[in-house]
Amino acid sequence: KVLSENLGQPVVIDYKAGGGGSIGAGLAAKAVPDGHTLFLGTSAAHVVNPLVQKTSYDGIKDFEFLGIVANTVNVLVVHPSVPAKNLAEFIALAKSQPGKLNYGSAGQGTTGHLGMELLKLNAGVFIVHVPYRGAAPAVNDLLGGAVQAAMPNLSVVLPMIKAGRLRAIAYATKDRSKLIPEVATFAESGMPGYESTT
């Protein structure tokens, strides 16, 4: 509503989820360049996906960038059935059961995917990646126990953490979140310098 009022014309939001933003980015890139199509994308859609997989667009050349809207931080969360209560316990569990834990992500090349791969690399563990077509189906399967872990943006899972439906293990930036101050950062949990943000 505010955007419509500021522009003096109607604004239609066409949410195209999936593929780490590459579905929506591909559609936006093909739109007539008349200034009437805006795309709200992430680093996954513009940088990571075009580098790691074939996309129908160039993440840089096919867009005119207007500015940064927000930075969001990822959080490692697990299903309540996972016995780990902190990062050290999660890593110990993964080491004791190589390849038996699964984690869901919003898709190949998303920050949740890359954040978990960085965790695996730093901790020397093997956890199976299950890519989904967006954060919603990944979180739904995490809530149902089909996957045991994920590293989505905090904004996606905050209500589930507060309700006890998911357990937050570690926050992926240098300072604790004011929204979940009881959850330690990766650095505080023994992984200095680790960050996963969008």
Side-chain angles (χ1 to χ4, degrees), residues 3-4 7 9 12 21 25 38 51 55 63 68 71 79 88 90 100 111-112 119 126 128 140 150 166 179 188 194:
L3 188 57
S4 278
L7 294 175
Q9 62 184 21
V12 177
L38 296 173
L51 290 175
T55 58
F63 296 88
I68 295 173
N71 287 320
H79 186 269
F90 181 75
K100 295 210 174 161
T111 57
L119 167 61
F126 177 55
V128 178
N140 282 343
L166 295 176
L179 300 172
E188 292 174 311
Y194 179 98

Side-chain angles (χ1 to χ4, degrees), residues 33 88 93 96 98 104 129 134-135 156 188 198:
L93 179 65
S96 72
H129 178 217
V156 172
E188 292 174 311
T198 301

Side-chain angles (χ1 to χ4, degrees), residues 100-139:
K100 295 210 174 161
L101 292 176
N102 299 312
Y103 77 90
S105 80
Q108 296 280 356
T110 59
T111 57
H113 171 217
L114 298 179
M116 282 298 289
E117 291 302 313
L118 182 60
L119 167 61
K120 289 168 52 177
L121 183 66
N122 287 344
V125 296
F126 177 55
I127 305 169
V128 178
H129 178 217
V130 181
Y132 288 84
R133 292 177 162 252
V139 171

Side-chain angles (χ1 to χ4, degrees), residues 64-78:
E64 289 292 330
F65 293 88
L66 301 177
I68 295 173
V69 174
N71 287 320
T72 57
V73 179
N74 293 345
V75 60
L76 174 59
V77 290
V78 296

Side-chain angles (χ1 to χ4, degrees), residues 4 14 32-34 47 56 67 70 105 117-118 130 132 165 170 172 175:
S4 278
D14 190 7
V32 176
D34 57 5
V47 179
S56 63
S105 80
E117 291 302 313
L118 182 60
V130 181
Y132 288 84
R165 297 181 65 202
D175 299 314

